[in-house]
Amino acid sequence: MPSSSSSRRRRGRSGGRHAADETETRNWAELPLDAILTILHKLDHVDILMGPGQVCRSWRGAARDEPELWRRINMLGHADLENELNLHGMAQAAVRRSAGRCEAFWGEYARDHDFLFYLADQAPSLKSLRLISCYDRLTEAIMKFHLLEELELSLCPNLNDSGVFGVIGKACPQLKRFRPSKDVFCDFEASVYGKDEEALGIATMHELRSLQLFGNILTNKGLTAILDNCRHLESLDIRHCFNVTMDDALRAKCARISTLMLPNDSTDDYDLVVKSPIRADSESFLHDYMGSCSDYELGSEDYGDYCDLSRYLDGVYEDEYELDEEGKMILGGMRMFMK
């Protein structure tokens, strides 16, 4: 007859196996809502839209019906999925789930021209907006974000719109952090846009605490305007702003800045791609932007032939079956002009 102690040991081992089986077969759909939300808060929002939100009814409900989960939307870090997923549609879904409570939206590669207007309508309390490599009508849309305290517009090609920074300064009086950084210093832009136009717009942002202008073409004049008008600046990053020369006057004005990064400082900690500077007189400019024209030597016969406009009329036929009357008239005018 087995002893009572051995029976207890067998029951104990059996009970242990039973407990382990219960753990292994736990129904995750029955987790309490607070536990599900704790798990979802550890994921970024693209992951939530792609995965956990599709697990089962309870998880889908938590991902869809809890606005607090979407109060700060982060969709950065998924640029590699741009051609595989409808990131614009996912961004709209994320903003919609916030039910008007969204205070921060961070995204990249948004190419839909109406998304910022949608965001402004659905997130009237937005305080933080970070956009990287986005193509949208910034000048029109930004006027709707009156409560912004943080704004990033890095690698956005349409920032050259005339006066956009001045518009931001007027529309966002509470702006404290601004980052319109680039991946390359392009000095030839000055011939079209003016070196200090953006800087003078930034000078209207009087409440700025932090400013990063990586790769900007501003000069000492523009930087002086910023320092004189943004009296609360605590952090300033002007790395790769090679038109700035740090003379004694500028160094004196920057003495109050607690965190200061200068044009030639290391870029090891810069979180975006860094390209080699491009200047109008550099070989990279002639090669990348002048194209085959740089293959011809000024004053040479080949260069004269390259500039002869009549060479571009080769293959343009005057046959009545190829050109209508208007076309023949235009072609004749071109030939007379080039005589």
Side-chain angles (χ1 to χ4, degrees), residues 142-305:
I142 206 68
M143 291 187 288
K144 297 179 176 290
F145 297 101
H146 303 295
L147 301 180
L148 279 185
E149 297 179 4
E150 177 182 30
L151 177 61
E152 175 172 2
L153 300 172
S154 293
L155 310 185
C156 296
N158 52 353
L159 286 187
N160 293 324
D161 291 349
S162 179
V164 63
F165 285 9
V167 171
I168 293 172
K170 293 178 181 179
C172 310
Q174 301 179 46
L175 196 64
K176 295 178 173 61
R177 293 176 294 279
F178 188 39
R179 189 191 189 202
S181 289
K182 305 178 181 181
D183 58 357
V184 61
F185 170 82
C186 294
D187 189 44
F188 70 89
E189 291 181 354
S191 62
V192 180
Y193 301 110
K195 294 182 179 181
D196 290 310
E197 181 177 352
E198 294 180 350
L200 296 177
I202 293 171
T204 66
M205 305 174 190
H206 303 301
E207 297 300 317
L208 280 185
R209 268 63 172 177
S210 175
L211 174 64
Q212 184 183 78
L213 283 174
F214 193 100
N216 198 278
I217 59 173
L218 83 167
T219 67
N220 287 28
K221 175 185 175 182
L223 182 55
T224 298
I226 291 173
L227 293 169
D228 287 346
N229 289 279
C230 303
R231 305 296 301 175
H232 302 292
L233 264 183
E234 301 170 357
S235 176
L236 176 63
D237 185 349
I238 53 170
R239 285 177 292 179
H240 276 225
C241 297
F242 294 118
N243 286 332
V244 171
T245 301
M246 292 301 295
D247 55 24
D248 291 341
L250 274 182
R251 290 186 181 278
K253 289 180 180 291
C254 289
R256 60 184 171 84
I257 308 295
S258 57
T259 302
L260 178 64
M261 308 195 80
L262 300 178
N264 291 298
D265 285 354
S266 172
T267 62
D268 289 347
D269 64 340
Y270 190 59
D271 58 337
L272 301 174
V273 174
V274 179
K275 299 179 182 178
S276 299
I278 299 174
R279 296 178 174 86
D281 58 350
S282 67
E283 291 185 6
S284 59
F285 173 80
L286 293 174
H287 180 270
D288 296 337
Y289 294 91
M290 297 297 289
S292 60
C293 180
S294 61
D295 296 333
Y296 296 91
E297 182 180 351
L298 287 174
S300 68
E301 292 184 4
D302 288 340
Y303 186 79
D305 181 64

Side-chain angles (χ1 to χ4, degrees), residues 88 92 111-119 135-137:
H88 166 67
Q92 281 194 325
R111 300 178 185 273
D112 186 275
H113 292 302
D114 295 321
F115 175 71
L116 284 185
F117 294 97
Y118 177 81
L119 180 63
Y135 301 74
D136 216 322
R137 293 174 290 176

Side-chain angles (χ1 to χ4, degrees), residues 89-104:
M90 297 175 79
Q92 281 194 325
V95 172
R96 185 169 58 250
R97 293 182 182 191
S98 72
R101 303 181 196 178
C102 180
E103 296 182 1

